[in-house]
Amino acid sequence: VITRAGAGSIAEIIRCRVPSILVPYPHAVDDHQHANALFFERQAGGVLLHQDKMHKLFDEVKEMLGNGWLLERFRQNLAKLDEINSADLIKRDLLEICSKEKERGWFGSGKFA
């Protein structure tokens, strides 16, 4: 798959275990698509290709399709990513934030909404 690096696209790529080339939209708010693609690439689920490097797209596709070992490695890593329970991670992060805020005395002070 060749696609942008929005969270929905990445979730579908992970669920379908399709090795991908992600081209982050450079004007996305807070450059979040670049952060998504960078995380994805670091987890070895695919390749990040900056929009200003699109002249290299054909070579990236040719390299990926011609390397069965690499494609299988990407699929294995995508399967590992699919096992992560996002709800549990969000819950853990929220509990950690609340615990820190409680220690700082922000709860009940009107400072923490």
Side-chain angles (χ1 to χ4, degrees), residues 11-48:
E12 290 175 5
I13 289 165
I14 290 170
R15 177 52 51 105
C16 296
R17 294 178 177 90
V18 181
S20 304
I21 297 173
L22 298 178
V23 183
Y25 180 61
H27 306 293
V29 176
D30 296 327
D31 204 23
H32 73 276
Q33 287 202 8
H34 181 261
N36 293 347
L38 189 59
F39 173 81
F40 187 79
E41 184 176 60
R42 287 181 178 165
Q43 302 306 309
V47 176
L48 183 159

Side-chain angles (χ1 to χ4, degrees), residues 50-113:
H50 294 279
Q51 185 166 307
D52 61 351
K53 305 286 186 199
M54 289 300 288
H55 62 279
K56 296 182 178 187
L57 180 61
F58 179 77
D59 291 334
E60 289 288 345
V61 170
K62 193 167 113 177
E63 171 79 22
M64 190 181 285
L65 291 178
N67 190 334
W69 179 88
L70 180 63
L71 290 172
E72 184 54 34
R73 180 63 62 176
F74 283 156
R75 286 185 191 100
Q76 290 171 1
N77 293 332
L78 291 166
K80 289 177 189 174
L81 287 171
D82 197 27
E83 293 173 3
I84 297 171
N85 185 333
S86 301
D88 285 344
L89 294 176
I90 292 168
K91 177 183 171 185
R92 184 198 67 207
D93 289 347
L94 288 173
L95 289 172
E96 183 179 327
I97 290 168
C98 290
S99 175
K100 287 179 183 177
E101 294 302 328
K102 187 174 181 181
E103 289 173 12
R104 291 173 54 191
W106 281 43
F107 281 115
S109 68
K111 296 179 185 176
F112 188 77

